[in-house]
């Protein structure tokens, strides 16, 4: 497609749909995530995040994260068809859906361009508004039943547990917070000598329009996320959303 060397360094990442996770019949969420992950791997993504089934209501637990990781492992290690790149390529429905997605993406790009690009659109809250509109549209379809979701708005389990009115949310204890802060301080102290030079390299890569990802791989070994983002803010500015 005439791509240059820089564009070929793009990593294709897919994350399964958080929108498809529901509190009702929560165990069904793993089935939905598995099918989404399968399609992502069929399309030869470089990187994949599978949502834990309980992310609809709280921070994932160790057990739910293990199940989410097992989805990827089973597809990669047990599902033989996943060893073939683009196994669905050539099917009419795949070509048709691909063209529909491409058309929708191009239309969205044109809307962004009309608003002065990504930054110009952010100034008017366009992206945030679009996300809110799409979420509201989806919730309305779910509420009216126009979009059937098994165990949520159709084929409800008559003997199932009611959706809890109060959900128990995962929250860190003060001891856990202090432990994290102590580890961060220790990390800063251990890498105090090497971090400044790497951060300078990172800033130069941004200014000179070089491969930032390559420098980031070195930076994360000796710099915290806060140090990295601060360095990037200094050369690229920090976005503040208009309220």
């Amino acid at each position: 497609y005439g791509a240059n060397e820089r564009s070929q360094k793009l990593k294709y990442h897919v994350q399964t749909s958080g929108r498809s996770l529901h509190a009702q019949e929560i165990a069904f969420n793993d089935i939905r995530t598995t099918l989404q992950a399968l399609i992502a791997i069929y399309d030869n993504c470089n990187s994949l995040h599978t949502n834990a089934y309980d992310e609809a209501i709280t921070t994932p637990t160790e057990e739910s994260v293990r199940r989410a990781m097992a989805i990827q492992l089973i597809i990669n290690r047990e599902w033989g068809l996943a060893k073939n790149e683009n196994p669905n390529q050539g099917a009419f429905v795949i070509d048709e859906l691909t063209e529909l997605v491409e058309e929708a993406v191009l239309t969205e790009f044109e809307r962004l361009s009309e608003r002065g690009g990504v930054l110009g659109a952010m100034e008017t809250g366009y992206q945030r508004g679009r996300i809110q509109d799409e979420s509201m549209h989806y919730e309305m379809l779910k509420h009216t039943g126009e979009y059937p979701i098994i165990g949520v708005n159709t084929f409800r389990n008559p003997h199932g547990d009611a959706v809890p009115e109060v959900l128990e949310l995962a929250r860190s204890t003060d001891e856990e917070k202090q432990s994290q802060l102590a580890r961060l301080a220790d990390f800063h102290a251990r890498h105090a000598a090497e971090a400044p030079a790497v951060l300078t390299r990172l800033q130069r890569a941004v200014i000179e329009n070089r491969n930032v990802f390559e420098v980031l791989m070195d930076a994360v070994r000796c710099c915290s996320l806060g140090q990295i983002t601060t360095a990037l803010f200094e050369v690229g500015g920090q976005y503040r959303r208009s309220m």
Side-chain angles (χ1 to χ4, degrees):
Y1 296 97
N4 59 30
E5 180 185 359
R6 181 172 173 78
S7 67
Q8 292 180 59
K9 294 174 181 176
L10 172 70
K11 297 295 182 181
Y12 173 28
H13 173 77
V14 173
Q15 177 166 346
T16 55
S17 172
R19 175 181 285 180
S20 68
L21 304 181
H22 306 280
Q24 303 96 324
E25 299 275 14
I26 196 169
F28 289 3
N29 288 338
D30 272 341
I31 302 171
R32 299 179 177 107
T33 296
T34 298
L35 294 173
Q36 294 160 9
L38 192 62
I39 292 300
I41 290 176
Y42 277 179
D43 201 40
N44 198 34
C45 66
N46 304 109
S47 172
L48 174 65
H49 174 94
T50 37
N51 286 328
Y53 71 91
D54 55 355
E55 285 190 37
I57 59 173
T58 186
T59 302
T61 62
E62 181 178 352
E63 180 266 341
S64 68
V65 170
R66 180 174 172 79
R67 284 171 57 170
M69 179 57 68
I71 291 172
Q72 296 195 36
L73 291 173
I74 291 170
I75 292 175
N76 279 325
R77 304 296 177 88
E78 300 182 23
W79 189 252
L81 191 57
K83 297 183 183 298
N84 297 275
E85 292 186 8
N86 304 323
N88 293 324
Q89 187 174 2
F92 169 79
V93 67
I94 298 300
D95 286 347
E96 180 70 12
L97 291 173
T98 300
E99 290 177 3
L100 288 171
V101 170
E102 288 177 347
E103 183 179 344
V105 170
L106 180 59
T107 300
E108 201 60 59
F109 281 168
E110 290 174 344
R111 289 173 180 155
L112 290 172
S113 296
E114 292 169 357
R115 291 164 172 79
V118 173
L119 294 179
M122 289 173 67
E123 292 297 328
T124 60
Y126 173 73
Q127 293 95 323
R128 181 181 180 86
R130 285 286 292 167
I131 292 170
Q132 291 174 336
D133 290 344
E134 288 295 323
S135 297
M136 178 62 71
H137 177 64
Y138 174 80
E139 289 300 321
M140 287 299 297
L141 293 177
K142 185 171 73 171
H143 180 72
T144 62
E146 293 176 75
Y147 180 59
I149 303 173
I150 307 303
V152 177
N153 60 10
T154 186
F155 293 105
R156 296 282 300 274
N157 184 351
H159 309 295
D161 296 332
V163 179
E165 294 183 5
V166 179
L167 300 173
E168 183 179 352
L169 303 179
R171 290 290 184 265
S172 300
T173 64
D174 185 65
E175 181 181 0
E176 290 171 331
K177 293 177 182 177
Q178 296 305 320
S179 174
Q180 177 63 29
L181 290 172
R183 290 198 300 273
L184 177 62
D186 177 66
F187 181 83
H188 284 165
R190 284 187 286 111
H191 299 286
E194 53 189 316
V198 177
L199 292 172
T200 300
R201 277 183 55 210
L202 178 62
Q203 291 177 323
R204 295 303 310 171
V206 173
I207 294 171
E208 297 170 3
N209 200 32
R210 290 190 282 111
N211 185 2
V212 177
F213 190 82
E214 180 182 2
V215 185
L216 277 174
M217 293 300 292
D218 295 329
V220 294
R221 291 180 170 87
C222 59
C223 306
S224 67
L225 179 60
Q227 290 175 308
I228 292 173
T229 52
T230 299
L232 293 175
F233 288 154
E234 289 175 355
V235 293
Q238 184 175 1
Y239 173 71
R240 286 286 187 268
R241 182 166 58 89
S242 300
M243 298 296 291

